[in-house]
Amino acid sequence: MSKDSLTELNARLKAFAVARDWEQFHSPKNLAMALSGECGELLEHFQWLTEQQSFEISAQKKQEVAHEMADILIYLLRLSDRLDVDLVNAVYSKMAINEKRYPAEKVKGDARRASEYED
Amino acid sequence: MSKDSLTELNARLKAFAVARDWEQFHSPKNLAMALSGECGELLEHFQWLTEQQSFEISAQKKQEVAHEMADILIYLLRLSDRLDVDLVNAVYSKMAINEKRYPAEKVKGDARRASEYED
Amino acid sequence: MSKDSLTELNARLKAFAVARDWEQFHSPKNLAMALSGECGELLEHFQWLTEQQSFEISAQKKQEVAHEMADILIYLLRLSDRLDVDLVNAVYSKMAINEKRYPAEKVKGDARRASEYED
Amino acid sequence: MSKDSLTELNARLKAFAVARDWEQFHSPKNLAMALSGECGELLEHFQWLTEQQSFEISAQKKQEVAHEMADILIYLLRLSDRLDVDLVNAVYSKMAINEKRYPAEKVKGDARRASEYED
């Protein structure tokens, strides 16, 4: 199994939680909250930057951002484990939906929300 | 490359965005916002449920939750691509930090926030 | 004007931003991000607590939570100022909508999402 | 009591919840989640807009944004009620802290995060 496999990451994260007797706190409700909390921390890194500046962050800030992103993936994988959701299948399924909702020739260069296309 | 590889998913998502000329919207700042927006949708599924009920959602709701989770991973991978962050490395690096911050014997069964352990 | 007037708070917050030449950062987009960032911090206080424990937080934690809530109101008022939205009118308007969508006799004791009532 | 009084809004929102027997769902934990969910909806309105565009939204979009903002204030007031937090006092207290942390002459035109000033 390759190192970038979600299955492998998932197994390691579960073992970490089990070793600490933390699964009792890892209800889907709580994990969804923890995931959102980490997203809030991610936002704080970018909130006062211009879009251009958000590409040009310092090496230190990039490291901090990478760790916030890691936290998000960690909670997302924990949630998939606790709900028994196959996250990879879900992504491929959602990508198929998106291919239909947003045909390249129709939405090219236009990022309005899906609901706005239906108006 | 296995299907659950983040590298593979990443490449597909990038191709999807490029085909729609959507990379112009995919600044780190905007992607962090989109990621948080999806987390908000995830929260809404769980906000009035008890923790126990959050495990016992219907098949339909579980499908909806799986798709919100897919959206979160999609934007997280897009962000890693745009910032040139190696997400898998970031997770392993964060896990190493967490192993040190939360030794199993010290935090067993206790999920207080890290800052609270330092009091 | 009473001290708990939103108009009064709004004026003070605007003066604070102007004195620091911070209005240049206070675009609606950026303020929406800052607001969400503060909500993330609020979530972190409650994520591992049971609902019952979330009522019974310590005086110190309550003070921290109160300050996160203050930050949320601060950014919400800044946003209303920058977008020229009458927040009080918006609340009364939304309350009127909610009165119609959720007639007391129909939804008593049931907190499902609005969309689920329409199924 | 003036119409823009938070005390008055608070009383009306409480009556609305009580009439529906919804206080049973309004734990601080759940209300923090609902608040964040609404912030996520707010973000979605702005995520693909430039900062300039976020000032220039259409009347219809502005109405939708105003209602998301109303939802945020509604849940924030409900939370203050359930936790017995004096939100107005909290804002004045937080403003006093901010006056000290960010002296106008020091931070003029600079919006870095507080922690970054301490470096």
Side-chain angles (χ1 to χ4, degrees), chain B residues 34-48:
Chain B
L35 184 54
S36 274
E38 297 300 336
C39 282
E41 294 186 30
L42 185 70
L43 280 179
E44 290 178 354
H45 284 285
F46 295 117
Q47 66 199 15
W48 306 128

Side-chain angles (χ1 to χ4, degrees), chain A residues 68-110:
Chain A
E68 309 293 8
M69 293 170 67
D71 286 331
I72 291 169
L73 186 54
I74 286 169
Y75 286 125
L76 188 64
L77 287 169
R78 289 301 298 138
L79 180 58
S80 73
D81 182 73
R82 297 298 272 170
L83 274 179
D84 200 18
V85 159
D86 184 324
L87 187 56
V88 174
N89 268 0
V91 171
Y92 282 99
S93 156
K94 192 62 198 284
M95 282 177 67
I97 291 170
N98 286 345
E99 291 276 356
K100 277 200 192 161
R101 284 175 95 186
Y102 307 107
E105 67 278 9
K106 185 178 168 202
V107 302
K108 200 144 189 163
D110 185 347

